[in-house]
Amino acid sequence: MLTLSNLMSKGYFPQEIIPPINTVDLSTKLSSCLAQINNIKSPKTSKCTSYSVPRLKNFRRILGIPNPLHQFILAKTIIEKWSDITSFFLKSDLSTSIPIIAENTERAIVPLKGFSEIIFERALKSNSARYLLRADISRFYHSIYTHSIPWAIHSKNIAKLNRDKKLFGNAIDKAVMNTRDGQTMGIPIGPDTSRIISEIIGVAIDIELQRTVPNLIGIRHVDDYWLYFKSLAELEKGYSAIQKVLQEYELELNHQKTQTIELPEEFEAKWVTELKSFRFRNQVASQKNDLISFFSIAFHNAKLFPNDYVIQYAITKASQCIIAPDNWNIFEALILRSLITEPKILPISLKIFLTYKNQNYPLNASNILTTISQMLDYHVKLGHSYEISWILWFCKTLNLQLNEHLVELISHVNDSIAALVALDIESSGLTTTKFKKNVWQQYANANGLYSEHWILAYEANMKGWFSSTKGHDYVENDSFFNILKQNDVSFYETTNQLHLVEIFTSNADISLPFNLITLYDDQETNQTIDKNTDLDTHIDSLPF
């Protein structure tokens, strides 16, 4: 059974966030806070902390970390009607992304079908078809109209006649609006509550498609459809039907990704097969040549397939090979070269460096600092949350000192997550001079606790990194955040770290998992590795 504790701990913060930002305290102390939280008086709405994550070809995804008060209310609303929601999910014959609760997972919920299973489902569904309609809902999470949540559950006619919270769809609608300052367009990308809400909409679309297209064969995974037809005429009817149903929910197809494919289709891109089959030899000289060959293949394919996460796949595969000490310098240099091209590999790169440092391999601190300094110069000017925060965590983890130029540069970054790591770095004595905190201290007040910078306003107060701009403790004066403070709930743990890559342990399995090259889950879309490949979040979720 889905619980409030799991949804507020494992299902709250996005997977892409740096390790110190976590909900460990909240999960262990939530029960102590619950009774006090139910009767408080606080603002009706709040804003999400934004976290900008890179995709490919200069595109970004903006994740949202809702204020804990309104995320708690939303999670509680969903939990109270979970049995009704799960019953509703069962009405779809197409969905492979119905949320289920699984043991020993990092998230509160996981999709019904795993990544490799979806490939097999597609193979099975296509056995008697001639054509595939590959359809993708455009900007799904950003485009969800919150009032369509009760439409999906109760039907549009009933929902429009009954707008009170007696219909639980209306209650969910209102609760998710309050996490986004009352906005009705879009839901936050990141929390598991949004996965549940998106699936409610998806199942409603499935139901209508099943009604209008009898004997429809295919699958849907979040916002991606694979629909199979015996003729082009049938496919055209299916295409028309899905467009019409999406319009009912004020959604539309992504026409750049929607395509008609004459079967059979390709399940695995050529570059995946090429990199997957590559084998590193153990002899020092041979392995050195293998590293050059492997990364040459990866860099070549990264240029040929700019829409695919080739570099991230390559680094992850290479991380599963034990590098000989004499080859460490070339491997380190290739990782640093790759970081400039693909900053999404910052987490796995840090895991690799930590793993080899733990085995007493000599890290070249000067080269690492030169590379990440160049990256900071580039990404700070563009305000890239993910890159800045992960680079700063790189510095904190590897005890790399920031010079005066970098301190000055970061002092002007108006980003909560980056600011918290910077304050942590200063507190750890890893700066040659102190940060200028004017940009960050403007949120040290009561309004800041419900603004986009709520996590900075709260955590900087908890850690004593800066005081209120008005000289009083604005956290203690707030009825909700004072409960968290009194229970010593923190969302920033200075010592929390990535797990090492398990290649030096006796029971380590250093073969690359098959499901690495199948699908990934980016909270908004799940795609096979073809012309629209994405691997990032799935790679980050692997057990190494």
Side-chain angles (χ1 to χ4, degrees):
M1 184 67 181
L2 186 63
T3 66
L4 183 61
S5 177
N6 274 350
L7 208 48
M8 284 300 293
S9 55
K10 296 198 299 181
Y12 184 4
F13 285 2
Q15 297 173 146
E16 295 88 342
I17 209 82
I18 53 174
I21 304 290
N22 64 77
T23 53
V24 174
D25 268 1
L26 183 64
S27 63
T28 58
K29 299 166 184 174
L30 183 62
S31 58
S32 303
C33 302
L34 288 179
Q36 299 167 277
I37 289 174
N38 287 330
N39 299 314
I40 63 170
K41 292 182 179 179
S42 286
K44 292 182 178 180
T45 68
S46 58
K47 294 182 179 180
C48 293
T49 292
S50 296
Y51 192 62
S52 171
V53 176
R55 300 193 75 177
L56 290 170
K57 298 184 73 173
N58 299 317
F59 290 108
R60 315 268 320 164
R61 180 189 307 117
I62 307 300
L63 306 184
I65 307 174
N67 190 285
L69 170 63
H70 295 108
Q71 183 62 17
F72 165 76
I73 295 170
L74 173 59
K76 186 170 180 286
T77 303
I78 287 173
I79 290 295
E80 288 172 350
K81 292 296 181 179
W82 183 242
S83 61
D84 294 312
I85 293 170
T86 53
S87 296
F88 177 73
F89 287 156
L90 296 177
K91 295 179 181 180
S92 171
D93 296 327
L94 299 174
S95 180
T96 61
S97 52
I98 291 172
I100 62 170
I101 298 95
E103 297 294 330
N104 302 318
T105 57
E106 293 185 1
R107 302 300 299 183
I109 56 171
V110 295
L112 175 65
K113 297 288 185 181
F115 300 102
S116 57
E117 291 177 289
I118 296 171
I119 294 289
F120 302 141
E121 283 288 315
R122 288 167 55 195
L124 291 168
K125 298 285 186 182
S126 64
N127 64 346
S128 62
R130 290 182 179 273
Y131 298 97
L132 163 66
L133 174 61
R134 178 73 171 84
D136 176 271
I137 301 174
S138 179
R139 292 173 51 82
F140 189 32
Y141 276 38
H142 295 289
S143 301
I144 288 176
Y145 181 48
T146 65
H147 292 343
S148 69
I149 299 168
W151 299 354
I153 298 171
H154 311 290
S155 83
K156 186 179 288 189
N157 290 337
I158 292 175
K160 286 193 171 184
L161 290 173
N162 300 274
R163 298 182 181 274
D164 58 52
K165 291 185 180 180
K166 290 180 181 179
L167 291 182
F168 72 88
N170 288 335
I172 295 173
D173 171 18
K174 183 65 174 177
V176 74
M177 281 173 55
N178 291 344
T179 67
R180 300 188 69 251
D181 202 28
Q183 294 183 46
T184 59
M185 188 58 67
I187 61 176
I189 302 174
D192 284 2
T193 49
S194 291
R195 296 187 180 197
I196 294 167
I197 292 167
S198 70
E199 190 62 19
I200 289 173
I201 304 297
V203 166
I205 294 168
D206 293 347
I207 293 169
E208 187 61 21
L209 277 177
Q210 291 165 187
R211 187 187 67 80
T212 56
V213 184
N215 304 313
L216 181 63
I217 297 173
I219 63 173
R220 175 186 56 80
H221 199 83
V222 187
D223 61 348
D224 281 325
Y225 279 93
W226 292 267
L227 302 176
Y228 298 95
F229 302 93
K230 294 180 180 179
S231 69
L232 280 174
E234 288 183 359
L235 184 146
E236 288 172 1
K237 289 179 182 178
Y239 180 76
S240 177
I242 195 170
Q243 280 191 307
K244 185 176 181 180
V245 174
L246 289 177
Q247 287 174 1
E248 288 294 313
Y249 289 91
E250 304 198 8
L251 298 167
E252 60 183 20
L253 289 175
N254 182 337
H255 294 291
Q256 290 183 331
K257 291 183 179 180
T258 298
Q259 53 188 316
T260 298
I261 300 170
E262 187 172 1
L263 299 175
E265 63 173 316
E266 183 182 84
F267 290 115
E268 182 174 279
K270 184 178 179 181
W271 69 262
V272 176
T273 305
E274 190 173 6
L275 291 177
K276 182 176 68 172
S277 61
F278 193 96
R279 295 292 178 264
F280 293 97
R281 290 170 288 183
N282 293 326
Q283 297 86 352
V284 174
S286 300
Q287 188 186 75
K288 188 174 185 178
N289 290 328
D290 291 344
L291 285 169
I292 295 297
S293 297
F294 179 76
F295 278 90
S296 294
I297 293 169
F299 294 154
H300 175 70
N301 279 292
K303 290 181 179 179
L304 289 180
F305 302 97
N307 291 325
D308 294 3
Y309 280 107
V310 180
I311 300 297
Q312 191 164 357
Y313 179 90
I315 292 291
T316 306
K317 178 179 173 68
S319 75
Q320 297 299 285
C321 172
I322 296 177
I323 303 300
D326 287 348
N327 291 333
W328 169 249
N329 62 338
I330 188 67
F331 186 45
E332 182 187 62
L334 289 166
I335 292 174
L336 294 176
R337 169 59 268 171
S338 302
L339 273 170
I340 299 292
T341 305
E342 181 48 83
K344 282 289 288 181
I345 67 169
L346 278 160
I348 185 63
S349 299
L350 183 54
K351 285 183 183 181
I352 293 169
F353 287 159
L354 282 172
T355 300
Y356 282 90
K357 183 180 180 183
N358 191 53
Q359 295 294 319
N360 297 316
Y361 279 57
L363 302 190
N364 191 320
S366 177
N367 285 351
I368 295 171
L369 187 57
T370 298
T371 299
I372 63 177
S373 296
Q374 180 183 339
M375 292 177 70
L376 274 177
D377 267 320
Y378 179 80
H379 292 289
V380 163
K381 294 170 184 176
L382 298 172
H384 291 164
S385 315
Y386 177 94
E387 291 89 336
I388 300 167
S389 61
W390 271 105
I391 292 168
L392 290 175
W393 186 245
F394 233 96
C395 294
K396 167 72 187 296
T397 299
L398 300 180
N399 293 312
L400 303 174
Q401 191 166 67
L402 300 184
N403 59 35
E404 188 172 348
H405 166 70
L406 293 177
V407 169
E408 174 67 23
L409 197 66
I410 295 160
S411 293
H412 299 285
V413 173
N414 193 14
D415 180 88
S416 289
I417 307 301
L420 284 173
V421 194
L423 292 166
D424 183 11
I425 285 173
E426 182 182 290
S427 179
S428 302
L430 293 173
T431 60
T432 56
T433 184
K434 291 186 179 297
F435 290 102
K436 297 175 183 177
K437 303 178 181 65
N438 294 346
V439 172
W440 308 331
Q441 282 187 307
Q442 64 180 309
Y443 307 111
N445 51 56
N447 291 334
L449 291 172
Y450 295 91
S451 73
E452 181 180 341
H453 299 275
W454 69 263
I455 193 167
L456 172 61
Y458 176 72
E459 279 302 323
N461 175 278
M462 283 287 290
K463 297 290 188 294
W465 286 333
F466 54 66
S467 58
S468 169
T469 53
K470 295 184 179 179
H472 62 272
D473 194 324
Y474 56 93
V475 173
E476 289 186 2
N477 289 342
D478 183 85
S479 57
F480 171 69
F481 280 100
N482 183 49
I483 294 171
L484 299 186
K485 187 172 184 177
Q486 293 304 313
N487 284 277
D488 200 29
V489 173
S490 175
F491 298 105
Y492 189 98
E493 174 51 60
T494 58
T495 60
N496 200 52
Q497 191 50 269
L498 295 166
H499 297 298
L500 301 181
V501 182
E502 294 182 358
I503 54 174
F504 290 102
T505 58
S506 58
N507 61 344
D509 176 8
I510 63 170
S511 61
L512 188 67
F514 170 76
N515 64 2
L516 175 61
I517 53 85
T518 53
L519 293 175
Y520 95 112
D521 177 12
D522 73 352
Q523 319 272 348
E524 186 176 9
T525 182
N526 294 264
Q527 298 171 341
T528 55
I529 297 183
D530 50 20
K531 293 181 180 178
N532 301 311
T533 302
D534 272 335
L535 268 169
D536 48 346
T537 304
H538 183 46
I539 289 173
D540 292 342
S541 70
L542 289 172
F544 47 73

